[in-house]
């Protein structure tokens, strides 16, 4: 075996075998976590459904997808998982020498009689199917609609990348496909503001770990979240923009302003806030691991999953609500989802807990990091059950999210999980299940483009994303913003013999999300003059 390439940050090798080059890349700790966490009842799959108003050519889409994944090795590599007996062996990607797009592209036609429910049934079946580890861990399905519309469903294993990694790859590909495409940095909605800074994104042949040419600084809109971060570097632990000091004029000297007397007080206040946030983190962690959530708890497990998505509400309405309540867009959407889940449980007499635990993914990716890998972590948000009191829910979530901003939890979880799963076979099975057993739902909030994206010259009319559960019987929820419209998707178990997980349960929660938002919107309209508060 002749090693022709060795990465400095990852253990990677390339070996010549005939005319093919076989590459091997060991999974990082966070990548390995998603492989180790998966079982027959709990898949680590992420997916997106693209909707086109017009009939698309499946052959053209297939060619586009081939070009889409061509520059990225992980889409043409299978994952080799060592036996549990090999304690110090690590899973690794290796080139699939028999790779064929035919193994990753299929076609389905809707009958036209089932409407949205038929489409959801197809997506649910596709999402429930476990990946074949003898092939690269992704697939795509073209779905032809009865009225001229088309859909493209693409799913991948979470070990390949996080949501932001997939989004960056998609936007990079589309920008190179369409030279007239508007600068993506000016199209994105990020935490309550449009980012209009100019810059370019890398070509598909550029080194994806390097910043694109003239990439906009820290507030670039391509920092699409896996979670609720605002998208600026200042939100990421340990990362801050460096202040530039103007050089002294020739022959002159640099003068420095005296430090304001308030400076030390500000520093002490920041240190105090960090200490308080750390204490809260410790207390919250103890409460989480010692609690016993019962609302979605049952001993039975099933590999069958169901998905659904809500109607769209306008981002303008959400912003109006957040100003009326002096909160943020994220606070409002989390409170709406919490209210929908609570109402769903009460209607079925299954509301047994006084609070929910939401697992909130959050990105730790730098703006210069365009790699296809996992750079996200998560933190636990304790959401109180408010008996339908939306105002109380928004206020409570807003206060708790403010504390989380100074909390080291996401950084600690990222570093700890990466180290723990560096050798995943050393992690006992019981620990994997026990650590997430009290999570009610994984909830990710993804701000998307404010203007339509084009694929093959056709605008993508709508996007819907889906994420994994933290454990069987919990929920996987994605709040997605696209073209100024906001919707939520729900993924959960499906069991026709269980009232809580019966077919249509996910659709019921999505419907209740719509109802809850309309109630909150009505309250905001009655509140009078909105308070001016930054998001």
């Amino acid at each position: 075996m002749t090693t022709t390439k060795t990465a400095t940050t990852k253990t990677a090798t390339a070996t010549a075998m005939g005319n093919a080059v076989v590459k091997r890349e060991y999974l990082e700790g966070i990548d390995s976590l998603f492989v180790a966490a998966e079982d027959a009842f709990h898949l680590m799959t992420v997916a997106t459904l693209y909707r086109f108003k017009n009939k698309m050519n499946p052959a053209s889409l297939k060619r586009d997808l081939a070009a889409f994944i061509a520059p990225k090795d992980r889409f043409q590599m299978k994952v080799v998982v060592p036996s549990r007996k090999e304690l110090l062996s690590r899973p690794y990607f290796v080139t699939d020498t028999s790779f064929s797009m035919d193994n990753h592209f299929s076609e389905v036609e809707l009958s036209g009689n089932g409407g949205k429910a038929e489409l959801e049934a197809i997506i649910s079946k596709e999402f429930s199917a476990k990946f074949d580890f003898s092939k690269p861990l992704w697939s795509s399905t073209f779905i032809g609609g009865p009225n001229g519309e088309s859909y493209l469903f693409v799913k991948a294993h979470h070990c390949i990348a996080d949501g932001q990694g997939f989004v960056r790859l998609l936007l990079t590909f589309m920008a190179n496909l369409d030279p007239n495409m508007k600068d993506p940095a000016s199209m994105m909605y990020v935490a309550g503001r449009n980012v209009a800074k100019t810059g370019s994104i890398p070509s598909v042949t550029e080194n994806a770990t390097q910043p694109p040419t003239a990439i906009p600084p820290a507030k670039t809109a391509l920092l699409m979240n896996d979670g609720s971060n605002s998208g600026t570097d200042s939100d990421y632990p340990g990362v801050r923009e460096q202040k530039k000091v103007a050089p002294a004029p020739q022959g002159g000297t640099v003068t420095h302003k005296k430090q304001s007397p308030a400076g030390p007080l500000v520093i002490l206040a920041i240190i105090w806030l960090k200490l308080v946030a750390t204490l809260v983190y410790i207390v919250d962690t103890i409460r989480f691991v010692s609690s016993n959530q019962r609302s979605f708890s049952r001993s039975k497990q099933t590999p069958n999953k169901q998905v659904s998505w809500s109607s769209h509400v306008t981002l303008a309405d959400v912003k109006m609500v957040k100003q009326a309540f002096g909160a943020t867009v994220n606070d409002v959407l989390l409170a709406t989802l919490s209210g929908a889940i609570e109402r769903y449980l009460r209607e079925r007499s299954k509301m047994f807990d006084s609070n929910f635990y939401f697992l909130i993914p959050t990105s730790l990716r730098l703006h210069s990091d365009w790699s296809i890998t996992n750079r996200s972590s998560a933190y636990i948000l304790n959401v109180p059950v408010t008996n339908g009191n939306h105002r109380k829910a928004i206020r409570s979530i807003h206060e708790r999210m403010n504390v989380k901003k100074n909390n080291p939890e996401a950084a600690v979880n990222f570093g700890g999980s990466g180290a723990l799963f560096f050798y995943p076979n050393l992690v006992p099975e019981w620990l994997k299940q026990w650590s997430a057993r009290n999570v009610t739902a994984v909830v990710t909030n993804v701000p998307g483009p404010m203007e339509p994206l084009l694929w093959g010259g056709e605008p993508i009319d709508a996007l819907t994303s889906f994420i994994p559960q933290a454990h069987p019987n919990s929920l996987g929820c994605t709040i997605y913003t696209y073209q100024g419209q906001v919707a939520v998707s729900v993924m959960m178990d499906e069991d026709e013999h269980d009232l809580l997980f019966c077919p249509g349960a996910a659709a019921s929660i999505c419907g209740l999300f719509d109802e809850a938002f309309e109630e909150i919107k009505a309250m905001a309209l009655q509140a009078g003059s909105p308070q001016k508060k930054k998001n």
Side-chain angles (χ1 to χ4, degrees):
M1 178 180 291
T2 304
T3 300
T4 60
K5 178 181 178 182
T6 302
T8 56
T9 57
K10 303 177 186 177
T11 303
T13 59
T15 306
M17 291 184 64
N19 293 325
V21 175
V22 178
K23 297 181 180 180
R24 175 183 292 194
E25 176 192 344
Y26 283 97
L27 275 68
E28 297 182 11
I30 295 298
D31 302 333
S32 294
L33 182 155
F34 295 112
V35 174
E38 180 169 282
D39 58 38
F41 309 107
H42 176 220
L43 303 182
M44 290 289 101
T45 301
V46 292
T48 300
L49 176 66
Y50 304 88
R51 183 185 187 277
F52 305 90
K53 283 186 177 180
N54 300 319
K55 185 73 173 180
M56 299 292 286
N57 185 329
S60 296
L61 281 176
K62 185 177 179 180
R63 286 195 299 270
D64 287 344
L65 280 171
F68 175 68
I69 60 95
K72 303 303 175 185
D73 291 336
R74 287 191 173 189
F75 289 92
Q76 299 169 68
M77 304 172 87
K78 54 189 177 182
V79 175
V80 177
V81 181
S83 166
R84 287 287 298 173
K85 296 179 180 180
E86 301 176 55
L87 296 181
L88 296 181
S89 293
R90 298 167 56 195
Y92 58 89
F93 291 100
V94 64
T95 302
D96 180 9
T97 55
S98 59
F99 175 82
S100 170
M101 274 296 297
D102 292 338
N103 295 327
H104 300 271
F105 189 86
S106 59
E107 298 180 36
V108 178
E109 290 290 331
L110 294 173
S111 67
N113 300 321
K116 181 188 175 187
E118 182 184 5
L119 177 61
E120 290 178 341
I122 291 175
I123 302 302
S124 298
K125 181 179 179 180
E126 291 292 329
F127 199 92
S128 301
K130 188 173 183 178
F131 283 113
D132 179 357
F133 272 64
S134 68
K135 300 179 177 66
L137 303 181
W138 71 278
S139 68
S140 58
T141 303
F142 171 82
I143 305 171
N147 301 311
E149 76 278 15
S150 304
Y151 303 88
L152 180 65
F153 179 69
V154 182
K155 70 172 187 175
H157 199 286
H158 210 325
C159 72
I160 295 177
D162 53 24
Q164 192 176 130
F166 288 123
V167 166
R168 288 177 174 223
L169 176 60
L170 173 67
L171 292 179
T172 302
F173 168 72
M174 288 187 170
N176 283 275
L177 196 66
D178 180 10
N180 298 317
M181 178 178 173
K182 186 177 179 181
D183 173 27
S186 65
M187 298 171 63
M188 305 292 290
Y189 172 75
V190 179
R193 54 188 177 275
N194 281 314
V195 179
K197 294 191 176 184
T198 59
S200 63
I201 61 177
S203 70
V204 293
T205 58
E206 286 184 47
N207 184 350
T209 62
Q210 299 299 320
T213 305
I215 187 72
K219 292 184 180 179
T220 173
L222 292 185
L223 286 172
M224 284 184 69
N225 265 308
D226 289 334
S228 57
N229 283 344
S230 68
T232 66
D233 276 355
S234 59
D235 289 326
Y236 305 153
V239 181
R240 295 291 185 271
E241 292 185 32
Q242 299 296 316
K243 295 182 178 179
K244 295 181 179 179
V245 180
Q250 189 172 5
T253 59
V254 178
T255 58
H256 297 277
K257 292 182 179 179
K258 287 185 177 181
Q259 187 179 32
S260 168
L265 294 178
V266 172
I267 294 174
L268 288 174
I270 293 174
I271 294 174
W272 172 251
L273 287 174
K274 293 290 185 182
L275 289 174
V276 170
T278 301
L279 179 61
V280 170
Y281 163 49
I282 295 172
V283 172
D284 283 350
T285 301
I286 294 173
R287 287 178 176 174
F288 171 69
V289 299
S290 62
S291 65
N292 184 25
Q293 298 296 102
R294 298 185 298 126
S295 293
F296 280 105
S297 177
R298 64 173 187 162
S299 58
K300 186 177 179 180
Q301 298 181 357
T302 175
N304 300 321
K305 309 298 174 183
Q306 58 179 303
V307 302
S308 185
W309 51 92
S310 68
S311 302
H312 290 80
V313 300
T314 68
L315 181 59
D317 281 346
V318 179
K319 293 172 71 174
M320 180 273 294
V321 171
K322 69 103 175 176
Q323 289 198 333
F325 287 98
T328 69
V329 166
N330 197 53
D331 299 334
V332 172
L333 295 173
L334 285 175
T336 305
L337 179 60
S338 175
I341 295 173
E342 178 183 335
R343 187 171 299 179
Y344 175 79
L345 291 170
R346 289 194 185 282
E347 288 179 352
R348 289 154 181 77
S349 301
K350 297 290 186 179
M351 186 68 255
F352 301 130
D353 302 310
S354 60
N355 65 288
F356 299 133
Y357 284 110
F358 287 172
L359 183 65
I360 311 292
T362 184
S363 178
L364 303 182
R365 186 183 293 262
L366 302 181
H367 73 273
S368 59
D369 184 357
W370 289 75
S371 60
I372 304 303
T373 187
N374 285 283
R375 290 288 182 268
S376 59
S377 184
Y379 58 86
I380 296 292
L381 184 67
N382 186 338
V383 179
V385 170
T386 60
N387 299 315
N389 187 331
H390 298 308
R391 187 183 302 275
K392 180 179 179 181
I394 294 174
R395 183 175 65 250
S396 298
I397 290 175
H398 180 68
E399 292 172 350
R400 295 172 191 221
M401 288 296 288
N402 279 341
V403 173
K404 291 292 182 180
K405 290 178 181 178
N406 295 298
N407 198 311
E409 183 174 355
V412 171
N413 288 344
F414 182 80
S417 298
L420 185 64
F421 285 91
F422 190 79
Y423 292 108
N425 284 344
L426 293 177
V427 182
E429 289 293 330
W430 65 265
L431 181 59
K432 301 173 191 176
Q433 299 296 330
W434 178 82
S435 60
R437 74 191 191 285
N438 287 319
V439 173
T440 308
V442 181
V443 184
T444 183
N445 186 359
V446 183
M450 288 295 287
E451 297 183 19
L453 296 174
L454 297 179
W455 190 313
E458 287 292 335
I460 298 174
D461 184 49
L463 292 176
T464 307
S465 295
F466 309 93
I467 58 173
Q469 304 161 292
H471 62 88
N473 304 321
S474 62
L475 309 179
C477 306
T478 303
I479 301 171
Y480 201 98
T481 305
Y482 178 62
Q483 297 190 81
Q485 301 290 316
V486 184
V488 64
S489 71
V490 174
M491 190 275 290
M492 61 189 296
D493 289 358
E494 180 174 276
D495 185 349
E496 61 182 3
H497 302 296
D498 191 310
L499 177 65
L500 201 60
F501 300 96
C502 64
S508 295
I509 295 176
C510 290
L512 292 172
F513 177 90
D514 294 333
E515 291 181 15
F517 182 76
E518 287 302 316
E519 293 171 1
I520 294 173
K521 178 182 173 182
M523 292 171 61
L525 291 172
Q526 294 173 0
S529 300
Q531 303 174 20
K532 292 184 179 180
K533 187 178 183 70
K534 293 182 179 180
N535 187 9

